[in-house]
Amino acid sequence: MANIKDIAKMAGVSVTTVSRVINNYPYVSAEKAEAVRQAMKKCNYQRNINAVHLSKGKTFLVGVVVPFSNHPYFGLLIEGIANAALNNNYKLVLIQTNYEEVKEIEALTMLKDKQIDALIICSRICDWRVIEEFIEYGPIVLCEDAREKNISSTFVDHYKSFSAALNYLHQKGHSRIGYCIGRQSGTNSEQRDAAYKDFLKKNSLTYNPDFIFSGCFNFEDGEKVVTDLVQMKDRPTALLVTSDQVAAGILTCCKEHGIFIPEDLAIMGFDNQPISKVMHITTLEIPLVEVGRKLFFQAMDGETVSHEEIAVELIERETV
Amino acid sequence: MANIKDIAKMAGVSVTTVSRVINNYPYVSAEKAEAVRQAMKKCNYQRNINAVHLSKGKTFLVGVVVPFSNHPYFGLLIEGIANAALNNNYKLVLIQTNYEEVKEIEALTMLKDKQIDALIICSRICDWRVIEEFIEYGPIVLCEDAREKNISSTFVDHYKSFSAALNYLHQKGHSRIGYCIGRQSGTNSEQRDAAYKDFLKKNSLTYNPDFIFSGCFNFEDGEKVVTDLVQMKDRPTALLVTSDQVAAGILTCCKEHGIFIPEDLAIMGFDNQPISKVMHITTLEIPLVEVGRKLFFQAMDGETVSHEEIAVELIERETV
DNA sequence: CTGTTAGCGCATTCAG
DNA sequence: CTGAATGCGCTAACAG
């Protein structure tokens, strides 16, 4: 395949001139520019982007770390990032970690390698100290409350929003409240658990470990929850479910087991995914696409560290 | 940041030797190797991957084109590709097209640019002729029946499987059968439509355009279908739904409208997504993760053109 | 086992 | 407005 030198030769100019027309620089005479364009067309010339990257020290690639890509929560986040990226001539490198630390380190290494210009971690698994070692190599952005840290983040204050949800449920008359969550570790989960425990304490309620269901990621995980629920003698009367998908699954399975919503069990979802609207699930809206967009722009602005808190909104429907 | 030359100088060897230890070549004396390793550690050396790429003419990046990433169908496909890729030291570049032709061309251009080593198109929007122009630049793999074409593909024969599903429904006593589909164009959709029309003809049934619902991608799209259904005087008695998500949405909304499944309406999904199991939806299983895996390996094997047909399996549950 | 040297393809001073 | 020369960081003949 033809390279810039070939084109230069063919057009009877220097490589510099070719480079200039490729990059739309001014100060090239019309005739030479035209000659170059002719030559390029004739050879079906395409510049080697790797050479550009090497030369410029930039790749226009941004890495995105997610545990799974086939999950609506991350799907929406990715969508937001992808759209912003594409509009800014950036491409996305998706790193699916399955929550394996090694994969996340691989992603970090890509930043160090300069294979990507910046890294967005949608859900962190590595310890903060290992992340820290990489910040000198390029912008790293987190989707969790990192106000204490010296890297940018876009996040919802899960302590605050979980508290709000809890209080909402309480004021609706519930005092036996449980919650469903994905993984138990992680900043977000820890914030929620803290909110939960503080809520309990404040209202002099006792902590019941059976009321906490972890490993709840997808619709189908709602089935396990209901299976457990059915076998409990003292069931919670309300459930805070950190994903609308799971809430939908619970709702569906409850119907099968004759558990009426919200009479027997109040359910509150999270995210305001489309499914929650169809199923009339009361939920806490999180504008994930917008979060993704913001994450991207923070990743682009490697200079300044900023922390954007995203407001959530309670959407009252029919499951509480 | 230190480069290979600095390390060479520091270790008192040549760059080649440094390169050799970096790449674990044999034939390097233990002492020199050790000296190099020391120097690398001391400088926290990291090789610039772009230089490697330029030098080798390879990027270990494979592009994946999907219309949306937050869709369970593509999510599963991506998962399969991503896992295979990661196990083979390849990274994934995700190109979300939203079914815009330009985006797909951008992806094709990345191949031409040599920014990616191969391209997997999970759902094609471009005309075949434009794809064709790019095959000289690197392996392009399609997830659709491309047996007539000179590029590799992994696919299910949608004509065959749709026919099988139709016959199954027919033999269950249905003759008023409709179907729900994502987009109407595209190889897969056309194959299905052909199967549908042939089925109708063979059984002397009349074609009713109202029985075809397009734009059905997600759970929430089931709502529209049911809204339409409710207003029809002569409803179909069975629906073939090309996505379990949509089937689940239809099922859920039907319940709300007092339409009993399968008595009033039989529903058959596609893919055998987890949600179909929870909701007991009869479906046609497509091993998407496996499809993704195969796509990746075809993309890697740029030499040979192969076509892998994937068998589907009918999973009988309770909605037919 | 080791080093020299010539690319990989392009961008970018710096003179003219 | 133009081009020669240099560098980006690394790999891979090739010669020893």
Side-chain angles (χ1 to χ4, degrees):
Chain A
M1 226 166 83
N3 63 20
I4 198 172
K5 225 185 227 161
D6 301 328
I7 301 298
K9 203 171 296 171
M10 188 172 302
V13 300
S14 73
V15 291
T16 315
T17 300
V18 177
S19 178
R20 285 197 180 101
V21 351
I22 290 172
N23 297 292
N24 293 313
Y25 274 31
Y27 310 134
V28 178
S29 72
E31 310 95 69
K32 298 214 172 187
E34 191 46 34
V36 170
R37 262 185 282 273
Q38 292 287 331
M40 292 204 298
K41 186 164 295 170
K42 193 167 164 200
C43 295
N44 194 13
Y45 169 77
Q46 184 66 28
R47 80 190 193 291
N48 182 320
I49 211 83
N50 291 313
V52 179
H53 291 166
L54 174 59
S55 195
K56 293 193 131 147
K58 218 176 161 203
T59 61
F60 291 97
L61 243 34
V62 51
V64 179
V65 171
V66 294
F68 346 93
S69 46
N70 67 340
H71 185 286
Y73 174 87
F74 296 106
L76 248 26
L77 226 39
I78 291 173
E79 187 174 328
I81 299 171
N83 287 137
L86 262 48
N87 289 333
N88 288 274
N89 273 313
Y90 261 78
K91 298 287 189 305
L92 225 91
V93 176
L94 189 69
I95 299 113
Q96 206 186 43
T97 64
N98 300 318
Y99 279 132
E100 286 172 45
E101 195 166 348
V102 235
K103 306 286 185 191
E104 196 164 311
I105 291 178
E106 268 181 40
L108 259 358
T109 304
M110 287 179 76
L111 187 66
K112 192 175 177 186
D113 274 2
K114 299 193 170 311
Q115 187 165 20
I116 52 181
D117 291 347
L119 185 64
I120 299 174
I121 300 181
C122 293
S123 185
R124 173 172 63 91
I125 176 73
C126 281
D127 194 274
W128 166 251
R129 277 161 302 186
V130 353
I131 304 281
E132 208 167 15
E133 288 175 24
F134 287 86
I135 65 183
E136 60 173 303
Y137 301 116
I140 301 176
V141 177
L142 254 35
C143 185
E144 66 181 75
D145 189 344
R147 279 176 290 192
E148 316 276 280
K149 316 277 165 55
N150 53 335
I151 62 181
S152 293
S153 67
T154 296
F155 63 96
V156 341
D157 185 328
H158 285 290
Y159 182 92
K160 209 194 287 177
S161 61
F162 217 64
S163 298
L166 252 5
N167 287 327
Y168 173 75
L169 252 20
H170 192 236
Q171 132 203 345
K172 285 274 184 181
H174 295 282
S175 52
R176 302 174 58 77
I177 307 176
Y179 76 85
C180 302
I181 199 147
R183 54 179 186 149
Q184 300 214 62
S185 57
T187 304
N188 296 345
S189 297
E190 282 158 13
Q191 285 188 342
R192 305 211 238 220
D193 195 60
Y196 183 69
K197 288 187 174 136
D198 287 353
F199 165 80
L200 254 30
K201 195 175 295 168
K202 207 174 69 190
N203 294 284
S204 313
L205 299 168
T206 54
Y207 176 82
N208 183 346
D210 292 345
F211 281 13
I212 298 174
F213 303 83
S214 65
C216 294
F217 296 99
N218 293 103
F219 188 97
E220 61 269 25
D221 297 322
E223 198 170 33
K224 293 180 304 191
V225 175
V226 176
T227 305
D228 286 359
L229 234 36
V230 167
Q231 295 173 339
M232 289 171 70
K233 16 182 196 305
D234 289 315
R235 294 211 287 253
T237 63
L239 231 38
L240 217 48
V241 186
T242 61
S243 151
D244 283 333
Q245 301 294 316
V246 178
I250 293 174
L251 197 57
T252 301
C253 291
C254 276
K255 274 186 192 157
E256 283 185 19
H257 286 84
I259 299 177
F260 291 95
I261 312 292
E263 296 79 4
D264 299 334
L265 181 70
I267 293 179
M268 185 155 162
F270 262 82
D271 297 352
N272 193 27
Q273 298 255 359
I275 199 172
S276 70
K277 186 163 179 224
V278 177
M279 298 188 69
H280 317 293
I281 299 173
T282 296
T283 191
L284 232 49
E285 176 172 54
I286 303 180
L288 292 171
V289 175
E290 176 63 12
V291 172
R293 225 181 61 82
K294 284 190 189 293
L295 284 169
F296 174 77
F297 288 113
Q298 287 180 318
M300 286 304 94
D301 184 6
E303 305 306 303
T304 59
V305 170
S306 66
H307 299 285
E308 300 222 32
E309 184 180 340
I310 298 292
V312 304
E313 192 185 342
L314 179 69
I315 314 249
E316 295 193 80
R317 287 199 273 245
E318 303 165 17
T319 55
V320 172
Chain B
M1 227 166 84
N3 64 19
I4 199 172
K5 225 184 225 160
D6 300 329
I7 301 298
K9 202 171 297 170
M10 189 172 303
V13 299
S14 74
V15 291
T16 313
T17 300
V18 176
S19 178
R20 286 197 179 102
V21 351
I22 291 173
N23 297 292
N24 293 313
Y25 275 31
Y27 310 136
V28 177
S29 73
E31 310 94 71
K32 298 216 172 185
E34 190 46 35
V36 170
R37 263 186 280 274
Q38 292 287 331
M40 293 204 297
K41 186 163 295 171
K42 193 167 165 198
C43 295
N44 194 12
Y45 169 78
Q46 183 67 27
R47 80 190 194 291
N48 182 321
I49 209 85
N50 290 313
V52 179
H53 290 167
L54 174 59
S55 193
K56 296 191 121 145
K58 217 175 162 203
T59 60
F60 290 97
L61 244 34
V62 50
V64 179
V65 171
V66 293
F68 345 93
S69 46
N70 67 341
H71 185 284
Y73 174 87
F74 296 106
L76 249 23
L77 226 40
I78 292 173
E79 188 174 326
I81 299 170
N83 287 137
L86 262 48
N87 288 332
N88 289 273
N89 275 312
Y90 261 77
K91 297 287 190 304
L92 227 93
V93 175
L94 189 70
I95 298 114
Q96 204 184 45
T97 63
N98 300 318
Y99 279 131
E100 287 172 45
E101 195 166 347
V102 236
K103 305 287 183 190
E104 196 164 311
I105 291 178
E106 268 181 40
L108 260 359
T109 304
M110 287 179 75
L111 187 65
K112 192 175 177 187
D113 273 2
K114 299 195 171 308
Q115 188 165 20
I116 52 181
D117 292 345
L119 185 64
I120 299 173
I121 301 181
C122 293
S123 186
R124 175 171 62 91
I125 176 73
C126 281
D127 194 273
W128 168 250
R129 276 161 303 188
V130 354
I131 304 282
E132 209 166 15
E133 287 176 25
F134 287 87
I135 66 182
E136 60 173 302
Y137 302 116
I140 301 177
V141 177
L142 254 36
C143 184
E144 65 180 73
D145 190 343
R147 279 174 290 191
E148 316 277 280
K149 317 277 164 54
N150 54 335
I151 62 180
S152 293
S153 67
T154 295
F155 64 95
V156 341
D157 184 328
H158 285 290
Y159 182 92
K160 208 194 289 178
S161 60
F162 217 63
S163 297
L166 251 6
N167 287 328
Y168 173 75
L169 253 20
H170 191 237
Q171 130 202 350
K172 284 275 184 181
H174 296 280
S175 53
R176 302 175 57 77
I177 306 176
Y179 77 85
C180 303
I181 200 149
R183 53 179 188 151
Q184 300 214 63
S185 57
T187 305
N188 295 346
S189 298
E190 283 157 13
Q191 285 189 342
R192 304 210 240 222
D193 196 60
Y196 184 70
K197 287 187 175 137
D198 287 352
F199 165 80
L200 254 31
K201 193 174 299 168
K202 206 176 67 191
N203 295 284
S204 313
L205 300 169
T206 53
Y207 176 82
N208 183 347
D210 293 345
F211 282 11
I212 298 173
F213 304 83
S214 64
C216 294
F217 296 99
N218 294 102
F219 187 98
E220 60 269 26
D221 297 322
E223 197 169 34
K224 294 181 304 195
V225 174
V226 176
T227 306
D228 286 0
L229 234 35
V230 168
Q231 294 172 341
M232 289 172 71
K233 15 183 197 308
D234 289 315
R235 294 210 288 251
T237 62
L239 231 40
L240 217 47
V241 186
T242 61
S243 151
D244 284 331
Q245 301 294 313
V246 178
I250 293 175
L251 196 57
T252 301
C253 291
C254 277
K255 275 187 191 156
E256 282 185 19
H257 286 84
I259 299 177
F260 292 95
I261 312 293
E263 295 78 4
D264 299 335
L265 181 70
I267 292 180
M268 186 154 161
F270 263 84
D271 296 354
N272 192 27
Q273 297 255 359
I275 199 172
S276 69
K277 185 164 179 221
V278 177
M279 297 187 70
H280 317 293
I281 299 172
T282 295
T283 192
L284 233 49
E285 176 172 54
I286 302 180
L288 292 170
V289 174
E290 177 62 12
V291 172
R293 224 180 61 84
K294 284 190 189 294
L295 285 168
F296 174 77
F297 288 113
Q298 287 180 319
M300 286 305 95
D301 184 7
E303 305 306 304
T304 59
V305 170
S306 66
H307 299 285
E308 300 222 32
E309 184 180 341
I310 297 293
V312 304
E313 192 186 342
L314 179 68
I315 312 247
E316 295 194 80
R317 285 199 274 244
E318 304 165 15
T319 57
V320 173

